[in-house]
Amino acid sequence: MKKLVSLTLIVLMIFSATLSLASFDEKVSSHWSKDYIDKEFVAYYFPYLAKDSFDRFDPTAAFDEKDFSLSLASLSMDFDMELTFDDILFSKDLTRREAVNIIGKKLIEDPTLKYEEKEIPFQDINTMDEESIELLRVLYSLGIIYGVSETSFAPDKILTQSEAIIILQRLKGVWEGMREVVFNIKGIIQSYNNQEAIVVKEEGDKLLVTITKEFPTPGYAMDINRIFRGKGEYKIQLDIVPPKADSILPQVITYKTMTIEIDKEQLIQGPPYVFTVEDKGQLIR
């Protein structure tokens, strides 16, 4: 009987997952956005659309300004951008002009913003004010937003769900490219007498960053997930793998020291170069 119940539950779970997948795929199957929308991105940053097997998701439907600001806020927090109550807007249909203002104002807050300016080819933006046009120029130059044709932007056209999702996907890509710091791991050693610290040393056109972290046993593995630019500092996200639960290890405090090398030409902020290390809420300075 237990086997029958378990089998039934498994079948139901598979069937439910299939329905969820079909629900999303069917809605984009004949839409131009099907090759551009990342389903996982939608589920993470637009959970209100993904809820109940993507029940609210409709690639052609108008997008709500409040929902857009909430998704942008969620994305911004992942890239350490400051948020205020002014960032959360009211519920109403969002126009393309308004989307430019919302994203553009958030983007230009980033002191590390760099781009090669491009000429705007749109001939229907004379109703937009100068600030909006300049923000559009930034977004167009970065490849975040385009027109409805080569020469038309349609500033007062209501933004659709598919357009909103793709625009924020592009924004995420731009932020990743702007903030990601390339590094090389020079080596890692283990010791039993040390202390947690970050030591930064300049060597010509290179920067050596040495990170020492304390662990309760020798069984932990330490790696780096990514390094990115924050506000006034560089954040190192550690990837810590604990030992297996059944591992037999000596209960002795252990230190792992990793040295990484970074080309200084990547580092817009500094000197001085300030690095912080994050791991599950713990912070080393």
Side-chain angles (χ1 to χ4, degrees), residues 242-258:
K244 293 181 179 179
D246 58 353
S247 299
I248 300 175
L249 297 165
Q251 297 301 303
V252 56
I253 298 297
T254 306
Y255 296 89
K256 290 191 181 293
T257 300
M258 176 185 289

Side-chain angles (χ1 to χ4, degrees), residues 93-145:
D93 288 348
L94 179 68
T95 66
R96 291 169 58 82
R97 178 204 309 261
E98 291 164 339
V100 165
N101 288 331
I102 294 169
I103 300 174
K105 288 176 181 178
K106 177 58 62 179
L107 188 59
I108 63 174
E109 290 177 4
D110 194 328
T112 65
L113 178 64
K114 293 177 71 176
Y115 63 95
E116 184 177 339
E117 188 173 293
K118 295 180 181 179
E119 285 298 318
I120 302 176
F122 310 126
Q123 300 174 5
D124 60 347
I125 57 174
N126 56 310
T127 59
M128 297 175 67
D129 59 39
E130 289 186 11
E131 181 185 18
S132 297
I133 291 174
E134 286 308 308
L135 293 175
L136 174 59
R137 190 187 312 279
V138 173
L139 298 180
Y140 179 77
S141 298
L142 288 166
I144 293 173
I145 195 166

Side-chain angles (χ1 to χ4, degrees), residues 221-236:
M222 183 171 80
D223 202 350
I224 294 178
N225 182 30
R226 66 172 180 162
I227 302 175
F228 65 94
R229 293 187 292 272
K231 288 198 171 184
E233 64 185 15
Y234 296 91
K235 294 194 174 185
I236 303 172

Side-chain angles (χ1 to χ4, degrees), residues 46-236:
F46 299 81
Y48 44 87
L49 297 182
K51 187 179 178 181
D52 297 328
S53 300
F54 292 89
D55 182 59
R56 282 186 57 195
F57 174 66
D58 179 352
T60 63
F63 205 85
D64 184 82
E65 185 175 65
K66 182 178 180 180
D67 286 345
F68 187 78
S69 66
L70 288 171
S71 291
L72 177 59
S74 177
L75 180 61
S76 299
M77 286 189 290
D78 278 353
F79 288 89
D80 202 34
M81 298 290 288
E82 291 182 358
L83 298 170
T84 67
F85 286 112
D86 293 335
D87 292 314
I88 308 303
L89 304 173
F90 298 101
S91 183
K92 69 180 185 67
D93 288 348
L94 179 68
T95 66
R96 291 169 58 82
R97 178 204 309 261
E98 291 164 339
V100 165
N101 288 331
I102 294 169
I103 300 174
K105 288 176 181 178
K106 177 58 62 179
L107 188 59
I108 63 174
E109 290 177 4
D110 194 328
T112 65
L113 178 64
K114 293 177 71 176
Y115 63 95
E116 184 177 339
E117 188 173 293
K118 295 180 181 179
E119 285 298 318
I120 302 176
F122 310 126
Q123 300 174 5
D124 60 347
I125 57 174
N126 56 310
T127 59
M128 297 175 67
D129 59 39
E130 289 186 11
E131 181 185 18
S132 297
I133 291 174
E134 286 308 308
L135 293 175
L136 174 59
R137 190 187 312 279
V138 173
L139 298 180
Y140 179 77
S141 298
L142 288 166
I144 293 173
I145 195 166
Y146 297 106
V148 296
S149 72
E150 290 186 1
T151 58
S152 177
F153 181 68
D156 296 317
K157 180 178 178 290
I158 299 298
L159 199 71
T160 65
Q161 288 186 15
S162 57
E163 290 171 330
I165 292 165
I166 291 169
I167 287 170
L168 289 193
Q169 283 180 184
R170 291 172 181 159
L171 176 61
K172 181 175 183 287
V174 167
W175 269 340
E176 286 175 341
M178 286 166 49
R179 293 170 171 268
E180 198 82 16
V181 175
V182 178
F183 61 92
N184 292 316
I185 297 177
K186 301 292 289 182
I188 183 167
I189 59 173
Q190 181 171 289
S191 61
Y192 299 97
N193 184 19
N194 211 324
Q195 64 180 12
E196 290 196 335
I198 299 176
V199 178
V200 179
K201 181 181 178 182
E202 295 185 57
E203 286 193 355
D205 60 351
K206 306 290 185 184
L207 199 71
L208 297 180
V209 182
T210 301
I211 307 150
T212 301
K213 185 164 177 60
E214 178 184 305
F215 297 97
T217 71
Y220 284 78
M222 183 171 80
D223 202 350
I224 294 178
N225 182 30
R226 66 172 180 162
I227 302 175
F228 65 94
R229 293 187 292 272
K231 288 198 171 184
E233 64 185 15
Y234 296 91
K235 294 194 174 185
I236 303 172

